[in-house]
Amino acid sequence: MSDQPTTPAEALLAADAAAGPLLETTTGPHLWERAFTTRRMMIDVLIGLLPVTAAAVWFFRAAAVCQIVTCVVAALAAEYVFTFARRKPFSLLDGSGLITGLILAFSLPPGLPPYMSAIGAIVAVALGKMIFGGLGYNIFNPAMVGRAFLMACFTAEMTTWAAPVGATTGATPLAAGGASLLKLFEGNVAGSLGETSAAMIILGGLWLLLRKAGDWRLTAGMLIGVALVAPVDHWARESGHSLTVLQHLLSGAVLLGAFFIVTDPVSSPLTKPGRWIFGLGVGMLTVVIRIFGNNPEGVMFAVLVMNAMTPLLNRWTQPRPVGGHAKKE
Amino acid sequence: MSLADLLVRFSDRKTFARGIHPPGNKALSAGGAIEVLPTPANVVIPLHQHTGTPCEAAVKPRAALNIGDVVGRSKAAVSADVHASIAGSASAVTAVTLPNGRRSLAVPIKAGAPKAEPGAEPAPAPLEGRALFDDLFGGDWSLPATPPEPAAILEAIKSAGLVGQGGAAFPTHIKLTPNPAKPVSAVLLNGCECEPFLTADHRLMIEAPEPIAAGLRLAMRACGASRGVIAIEDNKPDAVDAMRRAAAACPDIDVAVCQTKYPMGGERQLIVAVLGKEVPTGGLPLDVGVVVVNVATSAAIARAVLRGRPLTHRVVTVTGRGIVRPANVLAPIGVAISELLKHCGGLTTDARRVVAGGPMMGFTLADVEAPVTKGTSGITVLTAAEVESAEQTTCVRCGRCVDACPLHLVPTKIAQASKFGDWELARRYDIMACCECGCCAYVCPARVPLAQHIRAGKARIMRDARRK
Ligand code: SF4
Ligand code: SF4
């Protein structure tokens, strides 16, 4: 019906045949918010992780490179094998395997034997994600599943933290009763690979939040949760072992967790109130585990516990429809 | 919450919680005056243009018809008569596919000389162009000193075959019939036109505000409402001015300026925004004492009551990047959509979808010969680049659909339940409350076809309910 007789009829017909039917039929909506896709979210997380990666390599040199490469390669390989076995198209670019590998690498102590890192990455992808049906179906944060597995199998290795190149102490500040705030901020302290530099985590994390690749409510909830319970430490533990609120916030996996782990959309609640509760829950549990558990770090368990709570949180915080729930017939 | 939403909190603009802000694309067609389609050689008047029982043909083949003659009527309570939109002669009843994909019987009319009464002078030639527009919308629209009684108003509306012209096409006389158990306190005139691209109501408010205001007063009188509100989004300041002026003399009518947000024009959202009332799920606006009428319908009410004229023409926005010359066109009901496309320069080479209505809730046309109906508010032609979809992934549970749903549902859960046939779960999440606005699918980063799944689930549940 378009009257544009400029091209010869044959050419038009041939072009039409090649292009398939001229008009598509489908139902609405016919437009989408083009700028925002799953892929863009993943890429923004990866960009946000860049400063953390840089800090890890800066402080731990070859050990960092080795650990990151091991985790990422193992995670991607596991993802490939599982998608192949389930005859699903493999998409490296969906980025989630990459993110799982990176987060796991950052949450492990530097210098962990590579075969252990690799086992952790494989377990993260296999048990954390793939047995649930792949991205979007998993209940738990895959990287935390991998870490929990390593923690159970190789407890000793998992709780020895190498010092950054050039620094001196060997115990994590959490175990040693705290490090100076400036050092925590710069990252020149012993700790897991990606947990050391608060400044770099915040830098990358703000990018992630500003790009809406993660919900700020989760981050804010977790930090507030930590800050709410941290003062208890003052009475709970003798001085020398207790940490101040700021030390709690800046040390260990709290910042990495607040910006990059709890913000994983898949394993956090759907609703805004649900996300507040989730974040607060992780933050508060983290400090409780730190103080009363015989484990210096609580973020991982706190995240896993709240992951398990997520389906319940979704149900409890189901919004009330405008006009109320439909009456039962 | 976006910055725009925050700013609204500090202004007196009306709004509702959640919803989305798609690009309006209104400039394509908002600038030019309404054009009048030359009288076509043929129209096909569908007998089922409304929600309710289809009409039966009331004319014999080869019967001579004038504009406005009844060609189909029904005795059923919920129905609306259809009328000839051009003068000429009827042909045998055929079947057509309507823009919404439904099949309907229809009476074709071939244009010809108007029917001449024996002994009377030959009828004048049909009006064209500006004269036709002025005949429909021009002149004096002030109410007579003793306005018609409610019953007379309703009778005039019924015999004019009026239906909601915003898209739902529900017979207007039924909406306005007073129900002693549920008194109406306010009539809300819907001039939001929140669908992207569409500008027909916008232009009508600028070019014909008087009949719209008159129609509101008549509607208020018919259903016994003491208050009338004309709701217009703040992206149409010229329409706000025009309607304010047209209603200046009526102390019981206000103009409410609403935030530009989709789906502001949805009945439930509009009632929350303007009147602060929630229509109960499964109920009707009448349950909270409100009747919502579209602005084009309002002009048709005035024409029916004050001039005794049936619904024969409507303004249709023909727009989109896939059309050569977007415009708002006054067209007779029943004209083929292809005629409108031709009038607007035809499709561009990259046109991909021809949508009846706007891009959010419209239906794609498989056949551009489908006729314009009383509920056809626009034709939006989208290009290949616009409709090309990003790769679909599984739901990543980001919750953006939850934050967008104007009815505060959990779209991802409903879509999943509906996809897997878990009707129990779907109902627990109030699937039937969904208004199919498409906000959820619009924002989904995984491109999950949420609205499609939910729509299919609703259709399935309704079918099962009917079978029982
Ligand atoms: S917006 Fe899409 S990806 Fe996000 S929760 Fe809803 S369905 Fe899932
Ligand atoms: S289509 Fe239904 S579920 Fe989706 S946003 Fe609109 S009302 Fe909510």
Side-chain angles (χ1 to χ4, degrees), chain A residues 33-49:
Chain A
E33 194 168 353
R34 310 194 75 82
F36 205 89
T37 63
T38 310
R39 174 161 311 170
R40 201 201 91 174
M41 288 171 78
M42 297 294 178
I43 290 174
D44 279 329
V45 177
L46 288 171
I47 294 175
L49 283 170

Side-chain angles (χ1 to χ4, degrees), chain A residues 1-4 7 12 16 19-42 88 91 93-94 132-140 211-213 215-217 264-273 275 307 310-311 314-329, chain B residues 1 18 25 196-197 268 272 278-281 324 338 341-342 345-349 351-355 358-366 368 382 385-391 393-400 402-403 406-410 412-413 416 419 427-430 433 437-439 441-447 451-452 455:
Chain A
M1 72 288 341
S2 109
D3 31 9
Q4 290 165 320
T7 15
L12 260 182
D16 273 2
L22 176 64
L23 297 178
E24 288 176 341
T25 53
T26 149
T27 50
H30 304 284
L31 299 177
W32 307 268
E33 194 168 353
R34 310 194 75 82
F36 205 89
T37 63
T38 310
R39 174 161 311 170
R40 201 201 91 174
M41 288 171 78
M42 297 294 178
K88 289 261 170 79
S91 166
L93 286 173
D94 107 358
F132 292 101
L135 176 66
Y137 298 111
N138 49 303
I139 294 174
F140 297 102
R211 299 283 290 177
K212 302 212 171 121
D215 190 343
W216 61 270
R217 291 171 188 82
D264 169 32
V266 176
S267 52
S268 59
L270 283 167
T271 61
K272 286 176 185 170
R275 287 184 218 141
N307 284 163
T310 295
N314 278 337
R315 202 168 310 159
W316 289 340
T317 60
Q318 179 188 347
R320 175 185 166 279
V322 174
H325 288 286
K327 292 201 193 69
K328 290 259 152 40
E329 301 101 66
Chain B
M1 184 182 296
R18 312 198 187 190
N25 284 306
F197 287 96
R268 282 161 193 274
V272 166
E278 283 188 10
V279 178
T281 299
V324 172
S338 61
L341 298 177
K342 217 177 287 170
L347 302 188
T348 62
T349 44
R352 194 88 181 116
R353 288 188 195 172
V354 177
V355 178
M360 293 303 295
M361 291 186 76
F363 303 87
T364 45
L365 294 180
V368 290
L382 300 170
E386 282 172 309
V387 300
E388 173 201 42
S389 172
E391 161 203 28
T393 68
T394 48
C395 165
V396 291
R397 297 197 226 155
C398 65
R400 285 168 62 88
V402 183
D403 299 340
L407 291 173
H408 301 194
L409 307 176
V410 186
T412 173
K413 289 269 186 203
Q416 226 166 23
K419 188 173 162 195
R427 275 171 195 270
R428 178 135 48 83
Y429 280 94
D430 294 290
C437 65
C439 291
Y442 180 83
V443 298
C444 175
R447 297 289 175 270
Q452 279 94 330
R455 197 175 295 130

Side-chain angles (χ1 to χ4, degrees), chain A residues 120-270:
Chain A
I122 292 167
V123 168
V125 170
L127 291 186
K129 192 162 81 173
M130 286 309 177
I131 57 161
F132 292 101
L135 176 66
Y137 298 111
N138 49 303
I139 294 174
F140 297 102
N141 184 311
M144 291 301 102
V145 172
R147 192 178 186 277
F149 184 83
L150 291 179
M151 198 70 190
C153 299
F154 311 108
T155 316
E157 290 85 347
M158 285 292 289
T159 46
T160 313
W161 281 273
V165 178
T168 42
T169 45
T172 172
L174 281 178
S180 91
L181 285 177
L182 184 64
K183 274 192 167 174
L184 283 171
F185 203 68
E186 287 173 349
N188 202 7
V189 292
S192 292
L193 196 59
E195 297 170 353
T196 57
S197 171
M200 289 295 135
I201 295 173
I202 293 174
L203 185 69
L206 285 180
W207 168 266
L208 175 138
L209 296 188
L210 286 176
R211 299 283 290 177
K212 302 212 171 121
D215 190 343
W216 61 270
R217 291 171 188 82
L218 293 160
T219 305
M222 176 162 171
L223 296 178
I224 293 171
V226 168
L228 281 181
V229 185
V232 175
D233 202 3
H234 184 67
W235 297 287
R237 292 193 286 191
E238 51 201 276
S239 61
H241 285 284
S242 65
L243 304 182
T244 65
V245 174
L246 259 182
Q247 281 170 327
H248 266 296
L249 282 171
L250 291 179
S251 59
V254 165
L255 284 180
L256 189 73
F259 284 102
F260 291 99
I261 298 176
V262 292
T263 50
D264 169 32
V266 176
S267 52
S268 59
L270 283 167

